[in-house]
Amino acid sequence: MALRLKLVPDVTTINFFRWQWLTFGASIVAMVLSIVVILFMGLNFGIDFRGGTTIRTEAAEPVDVGAYRQALAPLNLGDVVITEVFDPSFRPDQHVASVRLSVQDGAEATSPEVLNEVEAALKTVAPSITFPSVESVGPKVSGELIWSAVMAVMLASLGIGVYIWLRFEWQFAVGTILASLHDVLVTVGIFALFQIRFDLTTVAALLTILGYSVNDTVVVFDRLRENLRKYKTMPLRDVMNLSVNETLSRTVMTVLTTLLALVALLVFGGDVLRGFVAAITLGVILGTYSSVYMAKNLVLWTGVNREPKAKPKAGTKFADIDA
């Protein structure tokens, strides 16, 4: 007999609307507080957004990222990102790394004196090390990157809203967009509150959060649409509660298995991955919460047309297309 792990009973009757004003109100307060924290505390931008210098290093000795970082620590250079570069065309004795240094306050780029100090420090680890190329990114380019990151998140949210509108109805699109923006905004607010480094990998994590959140929400909405056809006289609130309960087992299993991998990366992934993984971990938790407590509340308050109509029975002409 196969052993099956059940974290949630097959049939649950949880009333997810029992504390709807408290849960929805807490979400709105969290969004407002996130905006306040972002405006007054600001984000701890990484090199991608603050500007800085990228140094390409070559050495005959193998690259030891930990030793490189330890050698540079006494210089107090601020945000330092070190990654090893791999290429099949490299010689056996050609070991390449990329060292990114954030600009110091009031400086356009890293000064030659600081570069000399960096080279001297790294030579204590790899005596043969050289700097084949040194490139700087100024504040103007960094500002353009910030604007591009904001536009990427906004356009992704808009595209998700259009997809949900075509697949379901506009009420579902409104609920999905607000729930997704809640996940992103609160995640960014937590990054600002704890001054966690915010760089382009974090933006990639935010876009991943949008995808995860909408996937979770669409699962609930799909079941809701099926139940609206099945229970034509049942009050909308009860149909929504039933739909969330029917998908609860899937939701719990999905979020827990995802968190198992994320927590492992968070603990063992090192400093380079920490911001990226922290953002996705927060987003997975918030995305599950918003799918259960935010998106459906907005659909309930805006209402859904349940009058019988010709095909398509629900949503638009795209409603019966498989995801």
Side-chain angles (χ1 to χ4, degrees), residues 71-148:
L72 296 177
L75 300 180
N76 296 320
L77 298 173
D79 189 13
V80 178
V81 179
I82 305 172
T83 54
E84 186 172 2
V85 179
F86 298 95
D87 194 305
S89 64
F90 287 165
R91 303 184 309 273
D93 62 342
Q94 185 180 13
H95 302 283
V96 180
S98 173
V99 180
R100 293 194 293 170
L101 311 174
S102 59
V103 293
Q104 306 301 308
D105 294 336
E108 288 290 326
T110 304
S111 66
E113 292 77 12
V114 172
L115 291 177
N116 291 334
E117 291 179 0
V118 170
E119 185 174 7
L122 293 179
K123 280 185 179 294
T124 62
V125 178
S128 64
I129 199 166
T130 59
F131 292 178
S133 66
V134 177
E135 299 177 353
S136 295
V137 177
K140 181 178 180 180
V141 175
S142 301
E144 293 174 355
L145 286 175
I146 295 174
W147 175 246
S148 298

Side-chain angles (χ1 to χ4, degrees), residues 93-216:
D93 62 342
Q94 185 180 13
H95 302 283
V96 180
S98 173
V99 180
R100 293 194 293 170
L101 311 174
S102 59
V103 293
Q104 306 301 308
D105 294 336
E108 288 290 326
T110 304
S111 66
E113 292 77 12
V114 172
L115 291 177
N116 291 334
E117 291 179 0
V118 170
E119 185 174 7
L122 293 179
K123 280 185 179 294
T124 62
V125 178
S128 64
I129 199 166
T130 59
F131 292 178
S133 66
V134 177
E135 299 177 353
S136 295
V137 177
K140 181 178 180 180
V141 175
S142 301
E144 293 174 355
L145 286 175
I146 295 174
W147 175 246
S148 298
V150 172
M151 288 299 298
V153 174
M154 292 178 62
L155 290 175
S157 302
L158 179 61
I160 287 171
V162 172
Y163 164 75
I164 297 298
W165 171 59
L166 293 175
R167 182 164 173 77
F168 299 97
E169 295 181 8
W170 68 266
Q171 296 93 331
F172 292 82
V174 171
T176 302
I177 289 177
L178 188 57
S180 300
L181 290 179
H182 161 270
D183 304 337
V184 171
L185 188 57
V186 175
T187 299
V188 176
I190 293 174
F191 266 64
L193 179 63
F194 294 101
Q195 290 296 291
I196 304 172
R197 188 175 63 216
F198 191 95
D199 50 26
L200 284 178
T201 60
T202 311
V203 175
L206 295 179
L207 295 174
T208 304
I209 290 170
L210 286 175
Y212 182 92
S213 179
V214 72
N215 177 71
D216 224 18

Side-chain angles (χ1 to χ4, degrees), residues 302-316:
T302 54
V304 177
N305 183 12
R306 302 181 65 182
E307 295 295 327
K309 51 186 175 182
K311 288 186 178 181
K313 296 180 181 178
T316 66

Side-chain angles (χ1 to χ4, degrees), residues 159-282:
I160 287 171
V162 172
Y163 164 75
I164 297 298
W165 171 59
L166 293 175
R167 182 164 173 77
F168 299 97
E169 295 181 8
W170 68 266
Q171 296 93 331
F172 292 82
V174 171
T176 302
I177 289 177
L178 188 57
S180 300
L181 290 179
H182 161 270
D183 304 337
V184 171
L185 188 57
V186 175
T187 299
V188 176
I190 293 174
F191 266 64
L193 179 63
F194 294 101
Q195 290 296 291
I196 304 172
R197 188 175 63 216
F198 191 95
D199 50 26
L200 284 178
T201 60
T202 311
V203 175
L206 295 179
L207 295 174
T208 304
I209 290 170
L210 286 175
Y212 182 92
S213 179
V214 72
N215 177 71
D216 224 18
T217 305
V218 164
V219 169
V220 176
F221 282 173
D222 260 332
R223 183 58 58 90
L224 173 60
R225 184 175 58 182
E226 293 172 5
N227 287 335
L228 284 173
R229 296 170 178 174
K230 187 176 180 180
Y231 304 102
K232 298 183 183 298
T233 59
M234 182 183 291
L236 180 58
R237 178 183 175 130
D238 294 338
V239 178
M240 288 184 170
N241 252 332
L242 176 64
S243 302
V244 177
N245 277 286
E246 288 180 345
T247 57
L248 186 60
S249 177
R250 178 262 177 204
T251 300
V252 171
M253 288 297 294
T254 300
V255 69
L256 287 182
T257 52
T258 305
L259 286 176
L260 283 175
L262 291 174
V263 170
L265 283 173
L266 196 59
V267 175
F268 302 108
D271 183 66
V272 175
L273 290 176
R274 188 158 291 122
F276 175 79
V277 179
I280 295 185
T281 303
L282 288 170

